[in-house]
Amino acid sequence: MSDKVPFSFIVVIGLMLFALFFGAGNLIFPPMLGQSAGINIWSANAGFLVTGVGLPLLGVLAFVFSGKDDVQSLASRVHPVFALVFTTVLYLAIGPLFSIPRAGTVSFEIGVKPFLAEDLDHIPLFIFTIIFFSITCFFSLNPVKTINIIGKFLTPIKLTFIGILVVMAFIHPIGDFQAPTKNYKIHSFFKGFQEGYLTMDALAAFVFGIIIINAIKEKGAKTKKHIMTICAKAAGIAAIILITIYTALSYMGASSVEKLGHLDNGGTVLVKVSNYYFGAYGGILLGLMITVACLTTSVGLVASCSSFFHKLFPKVPYKILAISLCGFSAIVANIGLTQLIAISIPLLTAIYPLAIVLIFLTFFHPLFKGKTEVYQGSLLLTFIISLFDGLNTGGIHISSINSFFIRVLPMYKLGLGWIVPAIIGGLIGFSIVQVKILLNYRSSRLNK
Protein backbone atom coordinates (compact mmCIF):
# COMPACT_ATOMS: atom_id res chain seq x y z
CA MET A 1 0.00 0.00 0.00
CA SER A 2 1.35 3.45 -0.84
CA ASP A 3 1.55 6.29 1.65
CA LYS A 4 -1.43 7.84 -0.15
CA VAL A 5 -4.33 6.08 1.54
CA PRO A 6 -7.63 6.07 -0.40
CA PHE A 7 -10.29 7.98 1.51
CA SER A 8 -12.78 5.20 0.77
CA PHE A 9 -10.63 2.73 2.70
CA ILE A 10 -10.36 5.11 5.69
CA VAL A 11 -14.17 5.46 5.64
CA VAL A 12 -14.57 1.67 5.68
CA ILE A 13 -12.28 1.36 8.70
CA GLY A 14 -14.09 4.25 10.39
CA LEU A 15 -17.45 2.55 9.88
CA MET A 16 -15.97 -0.69 11.17
CA LEU A 17 -14.82 1.07 14.34
CA PHE A 18 -18.25 2.64 14.75
CA ALA A 19 -20.00 -0.72 14.30
CA LEU A 20 -17.72 -2.40 16.85
CA PHE A 21 -18.44 0.20 19.53
CA PHE A 22 -22.08 0.94 18.77
CA GLY A 23 -23.60 -2.26 20.08
CA ALA A 24 -27.34 -2.34 20.65
CA GLY A 25 -26.75 -2.11 24.40
CA ASN A 26 -25.15 1.33 23.99
CA LEU A 27 -28.46 2.73 22.83
CA ILE A 28 -29.94 2.57 26.33
CA PHE A 29 -27.52 4.82 28.22
CA PRO A 30 -27.77 8.25 26.49
CA PRO A 31 -31.59 8.44 26.74
CA MET A 32 -31.43 7.62 30.44
CA LEU A 33 -28.67 10.19 30.96
CA GLY A 34 -30.82 12.79 29.20
CA GLN A 35 -33.81 11.99 31.40
CA SER A 36 -31.74 12.32 34.58
CA ALA A 37 -29.72 15.40 33.56
CA GLY A 38 -32.68 17.49 32.39
CA ILE A 39 -31.61 21.10 31.89
CA ASN A 40 -28.00 20.08 32.61
CA ILE A 41 -28.00 17.72 29.63
CA TRP A 42 -25.21 19.42 27.66
CA SER A 43 -22.58 19.28 30.39
CA ALA A 44 -23.58 15.73 31.37
CA ASN A 45 -23.52 14.65 27.73
CA ALA A 46 -20.04 16.17 27.30
CA GLY A 47 -18.75 14.08 30.20
CA PHE A 48 -20.38 10.97 28.77
CA LEU A 49 -18.76 11.56 25.39
CA VAL A 50 -15.30 11.70 26.97
CA THR A 51 -15.55 8.18 28.39
CA GLY A 52 -18.11 6.79 25.93
CA VAL A 53 -16.39 7.95 22.74
CA GLY A 54 -13.02 9.58 23.40
CA LEU A 55 -11.47 6.94 25.64
CA PRO A 56 -12.51 3.90 23.56
CA LEU A 57 -11.04 5.40 20.42
CA LEU A 58 -7.90 6.43 22.33
CA GLY A 59 -7.74 2.84 23.55
CA VAL A 60 -7.69 1.52 19.99
CA LEU A 61 -5.00 4.04 19.03
CA ALA A 62 -2.98 3.09 22.11
CA PHE A 63 -3.17 -0.57 21.14
CA VAL A 64 -1.96 0.25 17.63
CA PHE A 65 0.78 2.47 19.10
CA SER A 66 1.95 -0.33 21.42
CA GLY A 67 2.55 -2.77 18.57
CA LYS A 68 1.33 -5.64 20.77
CA ASP A 69 -0.65 -8.64 19.55
CA ASP A 70 -3.21 -8.87 22.36
CA VAL A 71 -4.31 -7.18 25.57
CA GLN A 72 -2.48 -9.67 27.80
CA SER A 73 0.89 -8.91 26.19
CA LEU A 74 0.19 -5.17 26.54
CA ALA A 75 -0.73 -5.53 30.22
CA SER A 76 2.36 -7.67 30.83
CA ARG A 77 4.34 -4.43 30.72
CA VAL A 78 3.09 -4.02 34.28
CA HIS A 79 3.61 -7.60 35.49
CA PRO A 80 2.65 -11.08 34.20
CA VAL A 81 0.30 -11.62 37.15
CA PHE A 82 -1.38 -8.25 36.59
CA ALA A 83 -1.69 -9.09 32.89
CA LEU A 84 -3.46 -12.37 33.63
CA VAL A 85 -5.81 -10.92 36.27
CA PHE A 86 -6.61 -7.70 34.36
CA THR A 87 -7.26 -9.52 31.08
CA THR A 88 -9.42 -12.15 32.77
CA VAL A 89 -11.50 -9.52 34.60
CA LEU A 90 -11.80 -7.52 31.37
CA TYR A 91 -13.15 -10.51 29.43
CA LEU A 92 -15.49 -11.42 32.27
CA ALA A 93 -16.83 -7.85 32.37
CA ILE A 94 -17.40 -7.52 28.62
CA GLY A 95 -18.54 -11.13 28.57
CA PRO A 96 -20.64 -13.31 30.88
CA LEU A 97 -20.86 -10.99 33.89
CA PHE A 98 -22.36 -7.94 32.18
CA SER A 99 -22.25 -7.36 28.42
CA ILE A 100 -23.56 -10.74 27.22
CA PRO A 101 -26.43 -10.90 29.76
CA ARG A 102 -27.17 -7.24 29.02
CA ALA A 103 -27.71 -8.11 25.35
CA GLY A 104 -30.46 -10.50 26.43
CA THR A 105 -32.09 -8.14 28.93
CA VAL A 106 -32.04 -5.16 26.51
CA SER A 107 -33.75 -7.34 23.90
CA PHE A 108 -36.41 -8.32 26.42
CA GLU A 109 -36.93 -4.77 27.73
CA ILE A 110 -37.39 -3.32 24.24
CA GLY A 111 -38.76 -6.22 22.22
CA VAL A 112 -41.03 -8.12 24.63
CA LYS A 113 -41.77 -6.37 27.93
CA PRO A 114 -43.81 -3.49 26.44
CA PHE A 115 -46.40 -6.00 25.21
CA LEU A 116 -46.80 -7.80 28.55
CA ALA A 117 -48.89 -7.19 31.63
CA GLU A 118 -46.80 -5.76 34.48
CA ASP A 119 -47.23 -8.80 36.74
CA LEU A 120 -45.81 -11.17 34.09
CA ASP A 121 -42.23 -9.90 34.15
CA HIS A 122 -40.20 -12.80 35.56
CA ILE A 123 -41.58 -15.88 33.80
CA PRO A 124 -41.49 -14.30 30.31
CA LEU A 125 -37.94 -13.05 30.97
CA PHE A 126 -36.92 -16.58 31.97
CA ILE A 127 -38.45 -18.10 28.83
CA PHE A 128 -37.05 -15.36 26.60
CA THR A 129 -33.49 -15.72 27.94
CA ILE A 130 -33.56 -19.48 27.38
CA ILE A 131 -34.58 -18.95 23.73
CA PHE A 132 -32.23 -15.98 23.20
CA PHE A 133 -29.13 -17.70 24.59
CA SER A 134 -29.95 -21.00 22.92
CA ILE A 135 -29.89 -19.17 19.58
CA THR A 136 -26.71 -17.37 20.67
CA CYS A 137 -25.10 -20.69 21.53
CA PHE A 138 -26.07 -22.21 18.18
CA PHE A 139 -24.61 -19.35 16.15
CA SER A 140 -21.55 -18.81 18.36
CA LEU A 141 -20.26 -22.21 17.25
CA ASN A 142 -19.84 -20.64 13.79
CA PRO A 143 -19.98 -16.88 14.52
CA VAL A 144 -18.21 -15.15 11.64
CA LYS A 145 -20.75 -15.76 8.87
CA THR A 146 -23.68 -15.03 11.15
CA ILE A 147 -22.33 -11.69 12.36
CA ASN A 148 -21.35 -10.60 8.85
CA ILE A 149 -24.73 -11.44 7.33
CA ILE A 150 -26.83 -9.92 10.11
CA GLY A 151 -24.58 -6.91 10.65
CA LYS A 152 -24.37 -6.04 6.95
CA PHE A 153 -28.13 -5.69 6.61
CA LEU A 154 -29.30 -4.87 10.11
CA THR A 155 -26.95 -2.02 11.06
CA PRO A 156 -28.07 0.34 8.26
CA ILE A 157 -31.74 -0.40 8.99
CA LYS A 158 -31.25 0.08 12.72
CA LEU A 159 -29.41 3.38 12.22
CA THR A 160 -32.07 4.58 9.79
CA PHE A 161 -34.87 3.95 12.29
CA ILE A 162 -32.94 5.49 15.20
CA GLY A 163 -32.11 8.43 12.92
CA ILE A 164 -35.79 8.98 12.11
CA LEU A 165 -36.62 8.71 15.83
CA VAL A 166 -34.10 11.35 16.94
CA VAL A 167 -34.93 13.66 14.03
CA MET A 168 -38.57 13.53 15.14
CA ALA A 169 -37.44 14.32 18.68
CA PHE A 170 -35.60 17.42 17.43
CA ILE A 171 -38.35 18.64 15.08
CA HIS A 172 -41.26 17.84 17.40
CA PRO A 173 -39.91 17.60 20.98
CA ILE A 174 -42.15 15.70 23.35
CA GLY A 175 -41.73 18.42 25.95
CA ASP A 176 -39.37 20.90 27.59
CA PHE A 177 -36.31 19.95 29.62
CA GLN A 178 -37.09 19.43 33.29
CA ALA A 179 -35.11 19.91 36.48
CA PRO A 180 -32.22 17.46 36.88
CA THR A 181 -32.38 14.57 39.33
CA LYS A 182 -30.36 14.76 42.55
CA ASN A 183 -27.15 13.26 41.10
CA TYR A 184 -27.10 15.74 38.21
CA LYS A 185 -27.85 18.99 40.05
CA ILE A 186 -24.17 19.80 40.47
CA HIS A 187 -21.04 18.47 38.75
CA SER A 188 -23.17 17.00 35.97
CA PHE A 189 -20.11 16.75 33.69
CA PHE A 190 -18.35 14.40 36.10
CA LYS A 191 -21.52 12.36 36.63
CA GLY A 192 -21.80 11.96 32.86
CA PHE A 193 -18.10 11.04 32.77
CA GLN A 194 -18.77 8.12 35.13
CA GLU A 195 -21.93 7.11 33.26
CA GLY A 196 -19.74 6.57 30.20
CA TYR A 197 -18.13 3.67 32.06
CA LEU A 198 -21.35 1.72 31.55
CA THR A 199 -20.74 1.40 27.82
CA MET A 200 -17.64 -0.68 28.74
CA ASP A 201 -16.16 0.44 25.43
CA ALA A 202 -12.82 1.55 26.85
CA LEU A 203 -12.40 -2.04 28.07
CA ALA A 204 -13.59 -3.45 24.76
CA ALA A 205 -11.07 -1.23 22.93
CA PHE A 206 -8.28 -3.53 24.08
CA VAL A 207 -10.08 -6.40 22.34
CA PHE A 208 -11.18 -4.49 19.24
CA GLY A 209 -7.74 -2.98 18.64
CA ILE A 210 -6.32 -6.18 17.19
CA ILE A 211 -9.33 -6.49 14.83
CA ILE A 212 -8.62 -3.03 13.40
CA ILE A 213 -4.89 -3.71 13.10
CA ASN A 214 -5.50 -6.94 11.19
CA ALA A 215 -8.02 -5.26 8.87
CA ILE A 216 -5.53 -2.52 8.01
CA LYS A 217 -2.65 -4.97 7.58
CA GLU A 218 -4.72 -7.04 5.15
CA LYS A 219 -4.77 -4.03 2.84
CA GLY A 220 -0.99 -3.91 2.79
CA ALA A 221 0.00 -1.47 5.56
CA LYS A 222 3.24 -2.62 7.19
CA THR A 223 4.79 0.07 9.38
CA LYS A 224 3.39 1.13 12.74
CA LYS A 225 3.36 4.78 11.60
CA HIS A 226 1.30 3.92 8.52
CA ILE A 227 -1.20 1.84 10.51
CA MET A 228 -1.42 4.59 13.14
CA THR A 229 -2.14 7.26 10.52
CA ILE A 230 -4.96 5.24 8.95
CA CYS A 231 -6.41 4.36 12.34
CA ALA A 232 -6.31 7.96 13.60
CA LYS A 233 -8.24 9.24 10.57
CA ALA A 234 -10.73 6.38 10.84
CA ALA A 235 -11.16 7.10 14.56
CA GLY A 236 -12.11 10.67 13.66
CA ILE A 237 -14.88 9.41 11.37
CA ALA A 238 -16.17 6.97 14.01
CA ALA A 239 -16.06 9.72 16.65
CA ILE A 240 -18.20 12.11 14.58
CA ILE A 241 -20.89 9.45 14.07
CA LEU A 242 -20.88 8.29 17.70
CA ILE A 243 -20.97 11.85 19.08
CA THR A 244 -23.90 12.74 16.81
CA ILE A 245 -25.96 9.68 17.74
CA TYR A 246 -25.23 9.78 21.49
CA THR A 247 -26.00 13.51 21.70
CA ALA A 248 -29.25 13.10 19.78
CA LEU A 249 -30.34 10.22 22.01
CA SER A 250 -29.51 12.25 25.13
CA TYR A 251 -31.58 15.15 23.81
CA MET A 252 -34.45 12.79 23.09
CA GLY A 253 -34.35 11.45 26.64
CA ALA A 254 -34.23 14.93 28.19
CA SER A 255 -37.22 16.14 26.18
CA SER A 256 -39.32 13.09 27.09
CA VAL A 257 -39.62 13.61 30.86
CA GLU A 258 -42.36 16.25 30.79
CA LYS A 259 -44.94 13.85 29.31
CA LEU A 260 -43.50 10.38 29.93
CA GLY A 261 -42.05 10.97 33.40
CA HIS A 262 -38.85 9.48 34.80
CA LEU A 263 -38.51 5.85 33.66
CA ASP A 264 -36.54 2.90 35.04
CA ASN A 265 -33.96 2.48 32.27
CA GLY A 266 -32.97 3.59 28.79
CA GLY A 267 -34.64 0.63 27.12
CA THR A 268 -38.01 1.71 28.45
CA VAL A 269 -37.31 5.29 27.35
CA LEU A 270 -36.66 4.16 23.76
CA VAL A 271 -39.83 2.10 23.70
CA LYS A 272 -42.04 4.86 25.14
CA VAL A 273 -40.63 7.50 22.79
CA SER A 274 -41.02 5.17 19.79
CA ASN A 275 -44.63 4.45 20.74
CA TYR A 276 -45.28 8.16 21.25
CA TYR A 277 -44.20 9.04 17.71
CA PHE A 278 -45.09 5.92 15.73
CA GLY A 279 -47.59 3.99 17.82
CA ALA A 280 -47.44 0.24 18.51
CA TYR A 281 -45.98 -0.54 15.09
CA GLY A 282 -42.97 1.63 15.83
CA GLY A 283 -42.41 -0.26 19.08
CA ILE A 284 -42.64 -3.62 17.30
CA LEU A 285 -40.15 -2.58 14.60
CA LEU A 286 -37.73 -1.16 17.18
CA GLY A 287 -38.03 -4.31 19.28
CA LEU A 288 -37.30 -6.63 16.36
CA MET A 289 -34.26 -4.67 15.22
CA ILE A 290 -32.78 -4.31 18.69
CA THR A 291 -33.33 -8.01 19.42
CA VAL A 292 -31.48 -9.12 16.29
CA ALA A 293 -28.77 -6.52 16.90
CA CYS A 294 -28.34 -7.71 20.48
CA LEU A 295 -28.17 -11.27 19.20
CA THR A 296 -25.32 -10.26 16.89
CA THR A 297 -23.51 -8.58 19.80
CA SER A 298 -24.08 -11.61 22.00
CA VAL A 299 -22.73 -14.05 19.42
CA GLY A 300 -19.62 -11.94 18.87
CA LEU A 301 -18.91 -11.61 22.59
CA VAL A 302 -19.44 -15.32 23.27
CA ALA A 303 -17.06 -16.17 20.44
CA SER A 304 -14.40 -13.70 21.67
CA CYS A 305 -14.62 -14.78 25.31
CA SER A 306 -14.67 -18.49 24.44
CA SER A 307 -11.54 -18.03 22.33
CA PHE A 308 -9.76 -16.22 25.16
CA PHE A 309 -10.64 -18.79 27.80
CA HIS A 310 -9.77 -21.62 25.42
CA LYS A 311 -6.33 -20.03 25.06
CA LEU A 312 -6.13 -19.78 28.86
CA PHE A 313 -7.36 -23.36 29.40
CA PRO A 314 -6.45 -25.22 26.18
CA LYS A 315 -7.68 -28.56 27.52
CA VAL A 316 -11.25 -27.24 27.66
CA PRO A 317 -12.82 -27.36 24.15
CA TYR A 318 -14.11 -24.14 22.60
CA LYS A 319 -17.60 -25.63 22.23
CA ILE A 320 -17.83 -26.48 25.94
CA LEU A 321 -16.76 -22.94 26.85
CA ALA A 322 -19.29 -21.38 24.46
CA ILE A 323 -22.14 -23.50 25.84
CA SER A 324 -21.09 -22.74 29.43
CA LEU A 325 -20.88 -19.00 28.80
CA CYS A 326 -24.34 -18.97 27.21
CA GLY A 327 -25.84 -20.91 30.10
CA PHE A 328 -24.23 -18.68 32.73
CA SER A 329 -25.25 -15.53 30.85
CA ALA A 330 -28.86 -16.73 30.67
CA ILE A 331 -28.89 -17.08 34.46
CA VAL A 332 -27.37 -13.63 35.04
CA ALA A 333 -29.74 -12.02 32.53
CA ASN A 334 -32.71 -12.99 34.71
CA ILE A 335 -31.63 -10.39 37.24
CA GLY A 336 -33.23 -7.82 34.92
CA LEU A 337 -31.77 -4.83 33.09
CA THR A 338 -32.09 -2.22 35.85
CA GLN A 339 -30.60 -4.51 38.48
CA LEU A 340 -27.85 -5.74 36.15
CA ILE A 341 -26.73 -2.17 35.45
CA ALA A 342 -26.79 -1.36 39.18
CA ILE A 343 -24.64 -4.41 39.99
CA SER A 344 -22.14 -3.65 37.23
CA ILE A 345 -21.42 -0.09 38.39
CA PRO A 346 -19.12 -0.92 41.39
CA LEU A 347 -16.88 -3.25 39.37
CA LEU A 348 -16.68 -0.87 36.42
CA THR A 349 -15.91 2.04 38.76
CA ALA A 350 -13.02 0.01 40.20
CA ILE A 351 -11.44 -1.26 36.97
CA TYR A 352 -12.16 1.55 34.49
CA PRO A 353 -9.48 3.88 35.90
CA LEU A 354 -6.93 1.08 35.45
CA ALA A 355 -7.84 0.87 31.77
CA ILE A 356 -7.66 4.65 31.39
CA VAL A 357 -4.22 4.87 33.04
CA LEU A 358 -2.92 1.93 30.99
CA ILE A 359 -4.04 3.71 27.81
CA PHE A 360 -2.18 6.92 28.69
CA LEU A 361 0.92 5.09 29.93
CA THR A 362 1.05 3.30 26.57
CA PHE A 363 1.34 6.65 24.80
CA PHE A 364 3.99 7.88 27.27
CA HIS A 365 5.86 4.56 27.09
CA PRO A 366 8.74 5.95 24.96
CA LEU A 367 9.27 8.90 27.35
CA PHE A 368 10.06 6.71 30.35
CA LYS A 369 11.54 3.99 28.13
CA GLY A 370 8.91 1.46 29.20
CA LYS A 371 10.27 1.01 32.71
CA THR A 372 8.13 -1.46 34.64
CA GLU A 373 8.39 0.59 37.86
CA VAL A 374 6.50 3.49 36.25
CA TYR A 375 3.63 1.21 35.19
CA GLN A 376 3.53 -0.49 38.58
CA GLY A 377 3.65 2.69 40.66
CA SER A 378 0.97 4.46 38.65
CA LEU A 379 -1.44 1.52 38.44
CA LEU A 380 -0.96 0.50 42.09
CA LEU A 381 -1.99 3.89 43.46
CA THR A 382 -4.76 4.14 40.89
CA PHE A 383 -6.21 0.81 41.99
CA ILE A 384 -6.10 1.69 45.69
CA ILE A 385 -8.27 4.75 45.09
CA SER A 386 -10.54 3.23 42.44
CA LEU A 387 -11.18 0.22 44.71
CA PHE A 388 -12.70 2.49 47.36
CA ASP A 389 -14.63 4.35 44.65
CA GLY A 390 -16.08 1.00 43.64
CA LEU A 391 -16.97 0.15 47.24
CA ASN A 392 -18.68 3.53 47.64
CA THR A 393 -20.82 3.06 44.54
CA GLY A 394 -21.70 -0.40 45.84
CA GLY A 395 -23.00 1.10 49.08
CA ILE A 396 -20.02 0.06 51.21
CA HIS A 397 -18.74 3.25 52.82
CA ILE A 398 -15.64 3.22 55.04
CA SER A 399 -16.04 6.66 56.57
CA SER A 400 -12.55 7.07 58.03
CA ILE A 401 -10.84 6.30 54.71
CA ASN A 402 -13.30 8.36 52.70
CA SER A 403 -12.82 11.35 55.02
CA PHE A 404 -9.05 11.09 54.65
CA PHE A 405 -9.23 10.83 50.86
CA ILE A 406 -11.64 13.77 50.64
CA ARG A 407 -9.14 15.91 52.57
CA VAL A 408 -6.03 14.99 50.58
CA LEU A 409 -7.24 14.06 47.08
CA PRO A 410 -8.65 16.56 44.58
CA MET A 411 -11.91 15.44 42.93
CA TYR A 412 -12.31 12.37 45.16
CA LYS A 413 -15.96 13.28 45.79
CA LEU A 414 -16.46 13.34 42.03
CA GLY A 415 -15.13 9.80 41.57
CA LEU A 416 -11.91 11.08 39.99
CA GLY A 417 -9.65 11.01 43.03
CA TRP A 418 -7.43 8.45 41.29
CA ILE A 419 -6.00 10.96 38.79
CA VAL A 420 -3.45 12.65 41.08
CA PRO A 421 -2.31 9.33 42.67
CA ALA A 422 -1.83 7.88 39.16
CA ILE A 423 0.53 10.73 38.32
CA ILE A 424 2.32 10.55 41.69
CA GLY A 425 2.68 6.76 41.37
CA GLY A 426 4.24 7.15 37.94
CA LEU A 427 6.68 9.77 39.25
CA ILE A 428 7.62 7.55 42.20
CA GLY A 429 8.24 4.66 39.82
CA PHE A 430 10.40 6.90 37.61
CA SER A 431 12.36 8.10 40.67
CA ILE A 432 13.02 4.49 41.71
CA VAL A 433 14.42 3.82 38.24
CA GLN A 434 16.74 6.82 38.51
CA VAL A 435 17.96 5.73 41.94
CA LYS A 436 18.68 2.24 40.61
CA ILE A 437 20.64 3.71 37.70
CA LEU A 438 22.64 5.90 40.11
CA LEU A 439 23.39 2.98 42.46
CA ASN A 440 24.44 0.78 39.56
CA TYR A 441 26.71 3.54 38.29
CA ARG A 442 28.34 3.98 41.70
CA SER A 443 28.72 0.21 42.07
CA SER A 444 30.43 -0.07 38.70
CA ARG A 445 32.78 2.81 39.59
CA LEU A 446 33.73 1.15 42.90
CA ASN A 447 34.39 -2.18 41.16
CA LYS A 448 36.78 -0.44 38.83
Side-chain angles (χ1 to χ4, degrees):
M1 181 182 284
S2 66
D3 289 338
K4 184 74 174 177
V5 179
F7 183 70
S8 59
F9 176 64
I10 294 174
V11 170
V12 168
I13 297 298
L15 292 175
M16 181 188 295
L17 262 175
F18 162 74
L20 285 170
F21 284 119
F22 192 67
N26 291 25
L27 281 169
I28 66 176
F29 298 117
M32 198 63 199
L33 178 140
Q35 276 221 327
S36 301
I39 57 175
N40 291 335
I41 175 181
W42 303 121
S43 59
N45 183 67
F48 180 86
L49 293 177
V50 172
T51 45
V53 178
L55 283 175
L57 294 175
L58 268 181
V60 173
L61 292 172
F63 198 89
V64 176
F65 185 77
S66 73
K68 294 293 184 179
D69 293 328
D70 56 45
V71 61
Q72 192 168 349
S73 62
L74 175 60
S76 65
R77 288 176 168 178
V78 185
H79 192 277
V81 174
F82 172 83
L84 178 62
V85 173
F86 178 77
T87 308
T88 302
V89 171
L90 184 150
Y91 271 97
L92 287 173
I94 66 171
L97 290 183
F98 303 125
S99 287
I100 299 174
R102 188 175 73 189
T105 53
V106 167
S107 300
F108 178 79
E109 288 279 343
I110 296 178
V112 178
K113 187 177 178 180
F115 307 101
L116 300 175
E118 289 187 8
D119 58 344
L120 291 176
D121 242 11
H122 299 296
I123 295 176
L125 175 60
F126 177 73
I127 295 171
F128 179 84
T129 51
I130 290 175
I131 297 170
F132 183 90
F133 286 105
S134 294
I135 297 171
T136 296
C137 185
F138 175 79
F139 286 121
S140 65
L141 300 180
N142 186 19
V144 177
K145 288 184 179 179
T146 305
I147 294 172
N148 287 341
I149 292 170
I150 296 176
K152 186 180 293 183
F153 296 103
L154 179 74
T155 299
I157 297 172
K158 179 180 70 175
L159 286 178
T160 300
F161 185 81
I162 295 299
I164 293 170
L165 197 60
V166 296
V167 166
M168 287 293 294
F170 272 110
I171 297 175
H172 300 291
I174 297 176
D176 296 326
F177 294 168
Q178 301 300 297
T181 58
K182 179 181 177 182
N183 290 333
Y184 285 87
K185 284 184 178 179
I186 57 173
H187 306 306
S188 55
F189 173 88
F190 297 105
K191 178 60 178 173
F193 185 96
Q194 289 185 301
E195 288 296 300
Y197 292 178
L198 295 175
T199 65
M200 292 188 264
D201 282 345
L203 302 180
F206 290 108
V207 179
F208 295 155
I210 191 62
I211 298 174
I212 298 300
I213 291 173
N214 289 338
I216 296 174
K217 283 182 177 179
E218 283 179 5
K219 293 294 182 179
K222 301 295 182 184
T223 66
K224 185 169 79 172
K225 181 181 178 181
H226 199 183
I227 296 171
M228 191 75 178
T229 300
I230 297 171
C231 194
K233 292 178 180 178
I237 294 172
I240 291 170
I241 302 172
L242 287 167
I243 287 169
T244 301
I245 292 177
Y246 285 156
T247 302
L249 288 170
S250 296
Y251 177 90
M252 186 182 73
S255 64
S256 70
V257 175
E258 185 178 3
K259 291 189 178 178
L260 301 182
H262 287 283
L263 302 170
D264 289 339
N265 58 68
T268 306
V269 176
L270 281 173
V271 170
K272 296 286 187 183
V273 172
S274 180
N275 286 339
Y276 178 86
Y277 285 117
F278 305 115
Y281 292 110
I284 293 171
L285 180 60
L286 177 68
L288 286 172
M289 287 191 301
I290 295 301
T291 299
V292 181
C294 284
L295 184 63
T296 308
T297 301
S298 180
V299 171
L301 289 173
V302 169
S304 297
C305 292
S306 299
S307 297
F308 168 74
F309 288 113
H310 178 61
K311 182 179 177 182
L312 204 60
F313 306 105
K315 292 184 178 180
V316 183
Y318 170 90
K319 288 186 177 182
I320 297 297
L321 288 167
I323 293 169
S324 301
L325 288 175
C326 289
F328 182 80
S329 298
I331 295 170
V332 176
N334 276 272
I335 296 172
L337 181 59
T338 303
Q339 292 78 10
L340 185 59
I341 292 171
I343 292 171
S344 70
I345 291 174
L347 178 62
L348 294 175
T349 302
I351 66 173
Y352 232 81
L354 294 176
I356 295 171
V357 172
L358 186 57
I359 288 170
F360 281 97
L361 286 174
T362 300
F363 285 116
F364 291 125
H365 183 88
L367 292 179
F368 58 86
K369 298 180 180 178
K371 296 299 182 181
T372 302
E373 292 85 351
V374 176
Y375 279 100
Q376 291 176 345
S378 186
L379 285 162
L380 176 62
L381 293 192
T382 299
F383 179 66
I384 290 172
I385 307 305
S386 68
L387 176 62
F388 286 100
D389 282 335
L391 291 174
N392 288 332
T393 56
I396 303 172
H397 302 281
I398 304 175
S399 56
S400 57
I401 293 176
N402 284 331
S403 298
F404 173 73
F405 284 158
I406 288 171
R407 288 197 305 270
V408 301
L409 294 178
M411 299 188 292
Y412 181 74
K413 275 188 171 182
L414 304 176
L416 297 173
W418 51 269
I419 294 177
V420 172
I423 297 170
I424 292 173
L427 293 174
I428 291 173
F430 187 75
S431 299
I432 291 172
V433 171
Q434 299 309 307
V435 170
K436 285 182 178 180
I437 292 172
L438 181 60
L439 291 176
N440 288 336
Y441 174 75
R442 287 183 176 178
S443 176
S444 63
R445 290 289 298 264
L446 288 173
N447 290 333
K448 286 181 179 179

